[in-house]
Amino acid sequence: GAVVSQHPSWVICKSGTSVKIECRSLDFQATTMFWYRQFPKQSLMLMATSNEGSKATYEQGVEKDKFLINHASLTLSTLTVTSAHPEDSSFYICSAKYGPSNTEAFFGQGTRLTVV
Amino acid sequence: GQQVMQIPQYQHVQEGEDFTTYCNSSTTLSNIQWYKQRPGGHPVFLIQLVKSGEVKKQKRLTFQFGEAKKNSSLHITATQTTDVGTYFCAGIMNAGKSTFGDGTTLTVKP
């Protein structure tokens, strides 16, 4: 299958600072990228849907000013957690797909964020 | 909004026993996908079901999509220790948005 690379794999940051997570599709052009958040032993909760060149669509309850998403190219989307707090500590995963809306999504390795 | 419920939450089996996880959507789906996530890993795509009543097999895994396209199941025959992980279903609406079930975590005793 196609490869999606997510960086960094883990990050520890101080409360109040911002953290940027990158999601790259390495061998295909991703028309759509998704950002999920996963708490321990829980499911993936969709945070936002990102289409290249347009503003991200955020799910209800997700603060767009806190979780900034940029999808500048067909191979790169970034999620920036601004003014991070301990409750933002979580596992963040991106996925990317190309083609029709019902095609398979390829997931990145995920980023473990710990805010201290 | 759309809800996707998955049961059971946990399943512990002896190696060689069968395993089934069920997924139910509150709304009719365009298609459904199944993923496996190993401990500490990321979800890996297993299969997609599109047609009403569709049944697909991958070696010991059998996937079914209900006639009403609102439910699905994953059945593993004769589990092995390599089958451990959390299995998620993801219901896809016509708009293309995926809603994941809560997952079923499978542990296998050797």
Side-chain angles (χ1 to χ4, degrees), chain B residues 53-87:
Chain B
E54 188 171 14
V55 178
K56 285 188 176 180
K57 289 190 176 184
Q58 289 180 349
K59 296 183 180 179
R60 294 179 294 105
L61 277 62
T62 302
F63 303 84
Q64 291 187 324
F65 201 9
E67 294 289 341
K69 299 184 74 171
K70 295 179 72 172
N71 57 70
S72 181
S73 66
L74 157 60
H75 179 82
I76 302 178
T77 304
T79 54
Q80 299 175 359
T81 54
T82 53
D83 295 326
V84 298
T86 300
Y87 293 85

Side-chain angles (χ1 to χ4, degrees), chain A residues 42-96:
Chain A
Q42 293 190 21
S43 187
L44 293 88
M45 301 301 296
L46 180 65
M47 298 175 66
T49 303
S50 170
N51 292 294
E52 185 266 340
S54 62
K55 289 184 178 180
T57 303
Y58 289 81
E59 294 300 303
Q60 193 173 9
V62 178
E63 299 176 58
K64 61 180 181 180
D65 293 330
K66 180 167 183 62
F67 299 99
L68 301 178
I69 292 173
N70 184 282
H71 194 161
S73 75
L74 282 172
T75 59
L76 174 64
S77 177
T78 61
L79 166 67
T80 302
V81 183
T82 63
S83 187
H85 291 285
E87 57 264 31
D88 298 324
S89 299
S90 186
F91 192 54
Y92 294 86
I93 307 178
C94 70
S95 72

